Amino acid sequence: MLNDISALRRPITCARQSGGTVAANAGTDITSPETITTVGTTVKDKFVDVGKRGPSVGDTFATTVDIKSTTGVDLGTEGTQCTLGTGRWAIGIGAFDITGRGEIVGTGMVNFGSESLDFDVPITGGTGDFANVRGVAHVHLTENGETDTLELLP
């Protein structure tokens, strides 16, 4: 999937920022499992090529994505930042800022060597309604953004 720099410009949700293990035992404002599906359109992206020209260790890719519900209702903004590691792996940090509810955050590894446009990322915390939430984000990359299904657990 990452044979050249242009492939990096594909919008990605690498992961969501870690909430930490200390908060894992604290309660959350959601009282039962909740699923949120977002349809994202990339509005800004930036690739920073460090060191060796082309995709290499330390290169960073960041995106800003406008997110809507599957029915077109504005949900907020998603921001991600990924840094390439060795091989075709990257570590990513990101957050969904759901307007009026808070952020859903996490972190994880993404295998860019795969041809698949689908991958899962752990959800490890949040703020507001999503304080201390956990779960998984199922990510599907599209031509102009991504569709994410966030399975949240209290």
Side-chain angles (χ1 to χ4, degrees):
M1 189 158 72
L2 285 184
N3 294 330
D4 59 38
I5 291 175
S6 64
L8 278 173
R9 297 216 178 271
R10 196 176 257 172
I12 53 177
T13 299
C14 297
R16 315 298 174 253
Q17 184 174 3
S18 172
T21 55
V22 173
N25 292 328
T28 181
D29 284 346
I30 65 168
T31 58
S32 62
E34 181 177 347
T35 300
I36 299 173
T37 300
T38 68
V39 178
T41 302
T42 301
V43 294
K44 188 173 185 179
D45 61 18
K46 177 75 174 172
F47 174 71
V48 179
D49 191 7
V50 299
K52 186 175 110 178
R53 190 176 182 104
S56 62
V57 174
D59 291 352
T60 299
F61 185 81
T63 62
T64 301
V65 178
D66 282 343
I67 54 174
K68 298 187 181 310
S69 71
T70 56
T71 59
V73 175
D74 184 30
L75 293 177
T77 304
E78 174 189 353
T80 64
Q81 181 172 321
C82 295
T83 301
L84 295 179
T86 58
R88 294 294 189 187
W89 288 93
I91 296 291
I93 300 170
F96 289 87
D97 184 3
I98 307 295
T99 304
R101 294 197 63 195
E103 291 183 6
I104 301 168
V105 296
T107 189
M109 290 176 42
V110 178
N111 179 358
F112 288 114
S114 170
E115 293 298 320
S116 176
L117 298 178
D118 300 298
F119 55 92
D120 291 340
V121 178
I123 295 170
T124 57
T127 64
D129 290 351
F130 309 111
N132 303 312
V133 76
R134 56 195 171 89
V136 64
H138 303 288
V139 179
H140 173 72
L141 301 179
T142 63
E143 186 66 30
N144 298 319
E146 63 196 60
T147 300
D148 302 311
T149 302
L150 311 176
E151 294 182 5
L152 308 174
L153 300 172

